[in-house]
Amino acid sequence: MIHHFLNFANYSLFFYYLSGNLVYLVALIIALKTSAAHQRGIESFRLRWITESPLAPPITLLAPALNEEKSIRLSIRNLLELDYPELEVIVINDGSKDRTLQELQDEFKLRPIRMVYVPEVPSARIRGTYRSDSDPRLLVIDKESGGSKADAVNAGLNAATSPYVCIVDSDSMLERDALLRIMVPVLADPERVVGVGGIIRILNGSEIRGGQVKRVRLPRKSIEIIQVVEYLRAFLIGREAWAQGNMMLIISGAFGLFRTDLVRAVGGYRAKAIGEDFDLVARLHRYLLEKGQEYLVKFVPDPVCWTEAPSDLKSLGRQRARWHKGLLDALLPNLDMLFRSRYGRVGAVALPYLWIYELLAPIIELGGMVTIVVAAVMGDLNHEFFVQFLIFGYAFATVISIGAVLQEELTYKRYSDWQDVARLVTYCFLEHFPYRQLHMVWRLQGLWQYIRGDMTWKPLKRKGLSATTTAP
């Protein structure tokens, strides 16, 4: 009986990996096609027209900040220098224990103001509001810590005055034309487009001058380079393809644009959400599908947000455990959407995929490793099966990652040095062994933390944007 079970378990694992990689192969084909179409379309679209047009809708940038004294000056200066005709920047100091507020006061000459603040969505208590004398577009909200980024964003959402809000991380940097580019799908279809996500890229190793990325280079450390490959595959393949079917469920919290009225209509961010970016988009899908409204959630691959990736295993492990914990925290409240006709493709395709191939993946992989080892010890391991497993499980996944790197090189060409491209391709072979197994352990830790009620936000070790700045 045990022999039949082992054979069944091992072949099930084989077909699990095969089906998951086939989904990514289809996504790669869709992404290549849509990226080429996007490139042709953007060439005929005059971004300068947006800056000159009085019809371009105002945008409020919301930048929550918690203990960001190393990066806050450079990051907010970067936001204020973005090309966009009508812009408001709201920084939310979420109870920082360091000099974040003082750095903002020194850099932007803040003065206390009294303003009408209507708490349409819940957040922790506001301690004070400040306006910049050097740039009146900048508003700073000082509040007590609500224990989550979601709570901080809600405070900014209450103060926003624009029809669109763009949520960014205060330790990230946007390219100068990022807002112009992310607004292209909105201006093309303002009635239906309710949210747009941009691409997130790894800043580590690149050269920064004057608050802008002047030269894109690969990081030096292996752990950072593998994350570059991960991000390229997740954004240029995954989100590009899911958005084509209007099934994209994650708009990164580091750079996402939404209609303000709809975010308020769903109650803002869920304050206790761990993965607040996924949670918000899922609730927007639910809200609009239940109302029977036509809508689109889009992804644009070229308005770039640069962010600092963890550069040590401990910080990376904490980040990935929190991401997986956030995935479970967002999926559970939407369990009733599965396979119900009123939720269309989101309930029939997107959510089941996330349950089977994302949330449960580390459990299935660990179980598969155990059954393969037991089968080998008992002499029941089929060598032909094992070779097929390696080919389809490892080689196939590696080819998908290489496809993401080549898509980047063929379309966007951010890495101009051929040595950087060669290194990226090389690291595609290391991503699925041994890095994938480490990733599995971190995700299992996230699940275990959620089960035992550990919802604490463990800080990541960061150098800060100023530490990576290179002098001219």
Side-chain angles (χ1 to χ4, degrees), residues 4 32 85 100 118 122 136 147 153 214 216 262 264 283 307 325 331 342 367 378 415 417 431 452 466:
H4 291 298
L32 287 171
T100 297
V118 181
V153 173
K214 295 300 181 182
V216 178
L262 285 177
R264 288 173 175 161
R283 287 189 293 117
T307 191
K325 199 163 35 172
L331 284 175
R342 71 186 303 187
M378 297 183 65
Y415 298 100
D417 191 327
E431 185 193 6
R452 63 189 179 90
S466 57

Side-chain angles (χ1 to χ4, degrees), residues 87-337:
L87 184 64
E88 175 184 45
V89 177
I90 299 179
V91 180
I92 307 99
N93 180 43
D94 191 34
S96 297
K97 302 296 185 184
D98 63 359
R99 286 177 46 84
T100 297
L101 184 59
Q102 187 62 48
E103 292 289 326
L104 287 167
Q105 288 174 329
D106 294 344
E107 180 72 12
F108 301 105
K109 300 179 174 59
L110 301 182
R111 58 180 171 82
I113 63 168
R114 297 182 65 182
M115 60 175 286
V116 177
Y117 180 87
V118 181
E120 292 187 51
V121 294
S123 74
R125 188 178 71 86
I126 305 301
R127 297 189 293 209
T129 53
Y130 304 84
R131 180 74 67 183
S132 169
D133 278 337
S134 60
D135 193 327
R137 297 176 301 165
L138 175 62
L139 174 70
V140 175
I141 296 175
D142 183 34
K143 63 183 285 292
E144 294 179 352
S145 175
S148 68
K149 176 184 173 181
D151 186 88
V153 173
N154 280 347
L157 185 65
N158 287 328
T161 60
S162 306
Y164 290 92
V165 289
C166 183
I167 292 87
V168 297
D169 280 347
S170 57
D171 59 353
S172 300
M173 297 179 64
L174 300 183
E175 292 193 345
R176 195 177 293 272
D177 63 354
L179 291 181
L180 300 176
R181 292 181 179 274
I182 205 170
M183 285 298 288
V184 169
V186 174
L187 296 172
D189 195 350
E191 294 297 321
R192 293 194 299 165
V193 176
V194 301
V196 187
I199 190 170
I200 312 298
R201 287 179 178 265
I202 302 297
L203 179 67
N204 308 46
S206 295
E207 185 178 309
I208 307 170
R209 289 201 302 269
Q212 296 293 325
V213 177
K214 295 300 181 182
R215 188 182 184 191
V216 178
R217 294 298 305 269
L218 271 189
R220 295 292 181 186
K221 298 179 70 172
S222 297
I223 192 173
E224 298 170 338
I225 299 175
I226 284 183
Q227 289 177 78
V228 173
V229 176
E230 272 190 304
Y231 276 54
L232 289 176
R233 189 182 65 250
F235 284 94
L236 292 183
I237 297 180
R239 298 193 189 177
E240 181 86 82
W242 287 109
Q244 289 306 302
N246 201 29
M247 293 183 285
M248 189 170 69
L249 283 163
I250 303 177
I251 291 179
S252 175
F255 185 33
L257 181 100
F258 301 94
R259 263 179 44 189
T260 308
D261 63 325
L262 285 177
V263 179
R264 288 173 175 161
V266 299
Y269 283 80
R270 181 162 59 90
K272 298 302 180 183
I274 305 169
E276 74 288 332
D277 44 6
F278 178 16
D279 183 78
L280 175 67
V281 179
R283 287 189 293 117
L284 283 172
H285 276 288
R286 175 192 284 271
Y287 176 83
L288 292 163
L289 287 167
E290 288 178 352
K291 285 189 170 294
Q293 295 184 15
E294 286 192 27
Y295 71 96
L296 293 171
V297 177
K298 304 289 286 184
F299 171 75
V300 187
D302 54 1
V304 176
C305 173
W306 295 94
T307 191
E308 181 188 352
S311 56
D312 64 281
L313 282 175
K314 184 177 181 180
S315 292
L316 182 59
R318 285 179 173 179
Q319 183 192 64
R320 299 312 163 90
R322 174 167 54 81
W323 284 2
H324 213 66
K325 199 163 35 172
L327 177 63
L328 176 57
D329 185 58
L331 284 175
L332 284 176
N334 297 296
L335 189 62
D336 61 322
M337 293 176 68

Side-chain angles (χ1 to χ4, degrees), residues 23 30 137 156 182 269 326 370 391 419 454 457:
V23 170
I30 294 172
R137 297 176 301 165
I182 205 170
Y269 283 80
V370 171
I391 292 173
Q419 291 178 322
D454 180 5
W457 184 288

